[in-house]
Amino acid sequence: MSRLQLKPMLTWSGFFPGKPLRKDPLKHFRDFSLNDLIPVLIWVKNSLELSEKYTDFIEALTRRMEPTKRNQLRYQLQRSRISHPIVVDKILVEIFRTHTLKKSDRDIEETGFEDQLFDLLLYFNDLHYEAHYLPLEVVTPEAMWSLSLAQASTGLNNVDYARTANIKHLIFLKFLKQHFGENYKTIEDSFKQQTGLSGFHVLMITLSRFYLTTETGNAAVSSTQYSR
């Protein structure tokens, strides 16, 4: 069984210490077409998800960078990761939300594009990790849950989900009860109101049924017996 590995992420604050975040991180990309940007970001996401593609991705990203920046990046990547697919998803959401240009004379092959793409990843890494997770004490259960969720190391592929998902859900619910005490019921009541479900456990069972249905075509557990 493979061990859970939580690797530190490069962030804007870590790579450019003392340099403030850009006010408009997408400014450089607004003159590029969606038809060019989306395939690039999907390539980035796929390269981050598949370990066999990661090395080639780093080489392609850094090949034309300014030498000092390239050397610093390659050195730091010996002990950290450049980004995470979740971060790329956030970038894609922002682009779809704000970007409308479908045709452009700008070419993604122009000099400096890789530098700007790297800076964009760092910016959103900062938003995803620095602001929400780094202030936590790393030895606490809260920090471990947060880091695990931040890096999607919660067993979401079909094999891991079948093996451990329900156990992880139960452990997480126990953690919430212990951590929030009397306030746990308030959180669950809010969840019920927001989702229309009768409790946290129903979500766990619903997701399990969804998995069984997609994998086998049969839902082995009926949700009605848990909806009371």
Side-chain angles (χ1 to χ4, degrees), residues 77-127:
L77 287 178
Q78 294 177 16
R79 58 184 185 277
S80 58
R81 294 278 294 183
I82 196 168
S83 192
H84 193 280
I86 288 178
V87 175
V88 182
D89 285 340
K90 291 188 175 184
I91 297 173
L92 283 166
V93 169
E94 282 302 303
I95 286 180
F96 279 122
R97 190 176 67 86
T98 63
H99 201 91
T100 58
L101 191 63
K102 295 184 178 180
K103 293 183 179 180
S104 173
D105 294 332
R106 296 288 297 275
D107 188 348
I108 61 174
E109 295 295 331
E110 68 182 40
T111 302
F113 183 85
E114 292 91 340
D115 290 82
Q116 294 295 330
L117 179 60
F118 169 64
D119 290 354
L120 184 66
L121 290 172
L122 289 187
Y123 178 94
F124 278 87
N125 284 352
D126 216 274
L127 295 185

Side-chain angles (χ1 to χ4, degrees), residues 29-93:
F29 300 92
R30 298 200 189 281
D31 293 335
F32 291 90
S33 74
L34 281 173
N35 294 334
D36 287 334
L37 290 177
I38 300 308
V40 168
L41 289 170
I42 292 175
W43 166 68
V44 173
K45 181 178 179 180
N46 289 340
S47 299
L48 294 173
E49 288 178 335
L50 302 173
S51 58
E52 63 269 22
K53 292 187 176 182
Y54 183 73
T55 301
D56 291 339
F57 161 66
I58 296 301
E59 174 61 28
L61 183 69
T62 60
R63 187 182 303 122
R64 299 194 303 168
M65 278 186 178
E66 186 274 324
T68 302
K69 187 175 186 179
R70 179 179 64 239
N71 293 337
Q72 179 186 356
L73 173 56
R74 289 180 174 176
Y75 173 75
Q76 293 198 24
L77 287 178
Q78 294 177 16
R79 58 184 185 277
S80 58
R81 294 278 294 183
I82 196 168
S83 192
H84 193 280
I86 288 178
V87 175
V88 182
D89 285 340
K90 291 188 175 184
I91 297 173
L92 283 166
V93 169

Side-chain angles (χ1 to χ4, degrees), residues 3 6 13 22 24 135 163 181 184 190 194 206:
R3 293 184 177 181
L6 297 175
S13 303
R22 293 173 175 174
D24 184 1
R163 291 175 176 172
Y184 174 84
S190 176
Q194 294 284 338
T206 300

